[in-house]
Amino acid sequence: MGDPGEDDYGNAWTEKPSGKKSRLRWNRFKWVLFFANILLTCYSLVALVFCLLTWFNVWHHADIIRVGNRPELIVSTIAASTGVFTAIIGWAGILLNNRSFLAVYTFLLWIVFAFLVAPGYMSYRRQAFNLPGKINAQWSRALGPAGRARIQNQLSCCGYFSPFVEATVTQACYARSVLPGCKKPYLDFQRVVLHRWFAVAFVLVPFQLAVMIAALLCSNHVTYRFGKGMMPKRYRLSMGSMAVIMDNYASQLAERYGADVADDILKRSRDGARMKMRDMAPYESAPGSRRSHAKYESLGAS
């Protein structure tokens, strides 16, 4: 159990022996979730900013990535966006003590993990297994004239091996151009970009696993309250059960202290019970409450 001053333990404010009220405190599980979600928020936002700046062609040679690494860029953008959305769900669950939000948050973390690993695996596989052959096929089949022209303009080259081999005519690239072929600069650029891509993706994996483990272990203990803090309906004390209890209580008092003392104690108990009936009224149906109330009031006449 938590300390008396912790959030959602007992009353909203707890009295100390000195009569001063102690401030609410989060429990240790909530603090773990808080720092884990800060971590998720930070690297998700940073990744999303980098992806958006690449889409907007802000970085140097960003247009080459938009043309030559489009699948990895799309998956990375989805991963970053999903991470930010998951972090928002996590903040809602943490700050509102809502375990339903935290359950969704824990599930979405697995989806974020899948999208995080996917671009790392795609870039590693492309870089590690026959990258020159894949570059050859991409240049001749996948890029098209517009894509080749954009890469030629970015790398200041012309054609694949030379201006006479699969070149797209531009202002700087034509038959008598002295610009070198694009194979070597494009291949070197892809090696550097793909290596950084999968390195960043795989470096984030341990942090994502730590956030997932924290969510699995702590999301159901964000407060020390069991369930929703409400007594199940089948275990709530009905007025019929109270009438039976009062009958037994009255008989025991009459046997031990006499009828006069028993009547006085029952009268005070009835006054307190009437005040509690108002709180129990929403949980009772109207016909049942009326019958139980009549049965309870009959105790005063007996």
Side-chain angles (χ1 to χ4, degrees), residues 128-179:
F129 302 107
N130 192 21
L131 179 60
K134 294 174 181 175
I135 294 297
N136 292 342
Q138 184 189 44
W139 187 273
S140 60
R141 300 177 185 177
L143 291 179
R148 288 196 292 265
R150 290 163 67 180
I151 293 176
Q152 289 174 172
N153 293 333
Q154 289 289 321
L155 296 177
S156 299
C157 58
C158 183
Y160 192 56
F161 295 104
S162 68
F164 300 100
V165 181
E166 294 184 333
T168 298
V169 178
T170 62
Q171 293 181 351
C173 180
Y174 44 89
R176 296 184 180 182
S177 174
V178 295
L179 294 176

Side-chain angles (χ1 to χ4, degrees), residues 116-247:
L116 174 65
V117 175
Y121 171 73
M122 292 167 62
S123 57
Y124 173 77
R125 184 182 63 179
R126 186 179 180 189
Q127 194 262 354
F129 302 107
N130 192 21
L131 179 60
K134 294 174 181 175
I135 294 297
N136 292 342
Q138 184 189 44
W139 187 273
S140 60
R141 300 177 185 177
L143 291 179
R148 288 196 292 265
R150 290 163 67 180
I151 293 176
Q152 289 174 172
N153 293 333
Q154 289 289 321
L155 296 177
S156 299
C157 58
C158 183
Y160 192 56
F161 295 104
S162 68
F164 300 100
V165 181
E166 294 184 333
T168 298
V169 178
T170 62
Q171 293 181 351
C173 180
Y174 44 89
R176 296 184 180 182
S177 174
V178 295
L179 294 176
C182 295
K183 179 178 180 179
K184 185 179 185 306
Y186 185 50
L187 183 61
D188 293 340
F189 177 82
Q190 285 294 328
R191 282 185 177 139
V192 173
V193 168
L194 291 174
H195 178 77
R196 292 177 180 176
W197 210 312
F198 74 75
V200 171
F202 291 153
V203 163
L204 291 178
V205 167
F207 298 102
Q208 179 67 20
L209 289 175
V211 175
M212 293 165 61
I213 293 173
L216 286 172
L217 296 179
C218 303
S219 61
N220 203 35
H221 305 285
V222 67
T223 64
Y224 286 110
R225 178 188 295 170
F226 178 78
K228 294 183 178 180
M230 297 176 61
M231 179 73 70
K233 187 174 181 179
R234 61 182 300 180
Y235 298 113
R236 292 172 190 158
L237 186 61
S238 64
M239 298 306 300
S241 301
M242 288 183 62
V244 174
I245 293 173
M246 294 301 293
D247 284 334

